Amino acid sequence: MPKLSPLSREKMMRLRTQLADDVEAGGLPLSLAVRRMRKAIGFTQVQFAKAMRLTTRQIWEIENGKANPSLETMNKLAHPFGFRVGFISRHRAAAMEEADRAP
């Protein structure tokens, strides 16, 4: 796995603010939210897994939409970032996912 370059404090804050704004605007799919949380703190999947006390495989599966994490795991991921796990409409989640993939 490639090593990530360290993020400046300003870049880290900008990524965290953008993430919070997108969550408030209507939510993000879990896979995208977890990937963006991890990148906002400049961690690799290995580093993030260790910090969250999960396996690297669990993080990979969550980020790639292949996992069905428990509520406990989702809360474990969300809590340090000030988020709570909740429900949003599929339509809104799909729109956010499509917007994030756009160049």
Side-chain angles (χ1 to χ4, degrees):
M1 175 172 278
K3 191 170 185 169
L4 294 178
S5 301
L7 296 176
S8 69
R9 184 173 177 85
E10 293 79 25
K11 171 88 174 175
M12 195 178 297
M13 291 305 296
R14 187 170 54 253
L15 289 172
R16 291 179 93 167
T17 300
Q18 289 172 345
L19 174 63
D21 289 347
D22 289 345
V23 168
E24 278 193 37
L28 294 170
L30 178 65
S31 58
L32 186 55
V34 171
R35 180 177 294 122
R36 288 182 59 187
M37 286 187 293
R38 176 179 60 80
K39 288 184 176 187
I41 57 174
F43 277 13
T44 64
Q45 288 181 336
V46 172
Q47 292 168 320
F48 194 61
K50 187 174 182 177
M52 295 292 139
R53 295 189 173 146
L54 298 169
T55 67
T56 304
R57 174 83 182 191
Q58 285 174 297
I59 297 299
W60 183 89
E61 287 179 350
I62 291 168
E63 286 189 5
N64 287 283
K66 309 248 184 245
N68 187 16
S70 68
L71 182 59
E72 178 183 351
T73 298
M74 290 190 299
N75 280 319
K76 184 186 291 190
L77 293 167
H79 181 75
F81 296 90
F83 298 130
R84 288 189 323 182
V85 176
F87 292 98
I88 61 167
S89 73
R90 287 184 185 152
H91 180 284
R92 185 171 275 193
M96 289 294 295
E97 189 172 45
E98 187 173 313
D100 203 61
R101 282 188 287 215

